[in-house]
Amino acid sequence: MLFLLPAAFVAKAAIATLTVGEAIGIGATVFGVGAGIKGAVDYRRAKRLIAEAEEEYRDMSSRIRRRALRLKKNSAALAS
């Protein structure tokens, strides 16, 4: 443990040289980088969800159109 004593003095000196403003600035930078990364991940997830929803919408609308055409064709004989 005695060999760690110089490292403790160096760490204490490094911590003492940081001002409150620098500590706040570093904290804000870390927070901003984290928020940016989370925003990028959320953007990619949202983009994927939108694409899936559009595909599902196209599938359902084509099913409804086909069914409507089939009903129209089948009811033509009843209308006569």
Side-chain angles (χ1 to χ4, degrees):
M1 275 318 263
L2 193 58
F3 63 90
L4 291 177
L5 196 57
F9 287 123
V10 170
K12 186 176 181 181
I15 291 172
T17 58
L18 282 178
T19 64
V20 173
E22 289 173 334
I24 291 172
I26 291 169
T29 302
V30 169
F31 183 75
V33 169
I37 291 170
K38 174 138 178 39
V41 169
D42 288 347
Y43 174 76
R44 295 179 94 187
R45 184 179 299 150
K47 197 171 179 181
R48 182 177 43 86
L49 287 173
I50 289 170
E52 290 173 2
E54 286 175 347
E55 182 180 345
E56 186 177 340
Y57 174 79
R58 282 192 301 270
D59 290 344
M60 288 301 292
S61 64
S62 66
R63 285 183 197 164
I64 291 170
R65 263 190 245 113
R66 283 193 311 260
R67 182 165 169 89
L69 290 173
R70 191 174 345 119
L71 287 171
K72 184 178 178 182
K73 180 182 172 184
N74 292 340
S75 66
L78 296 173
S80 306

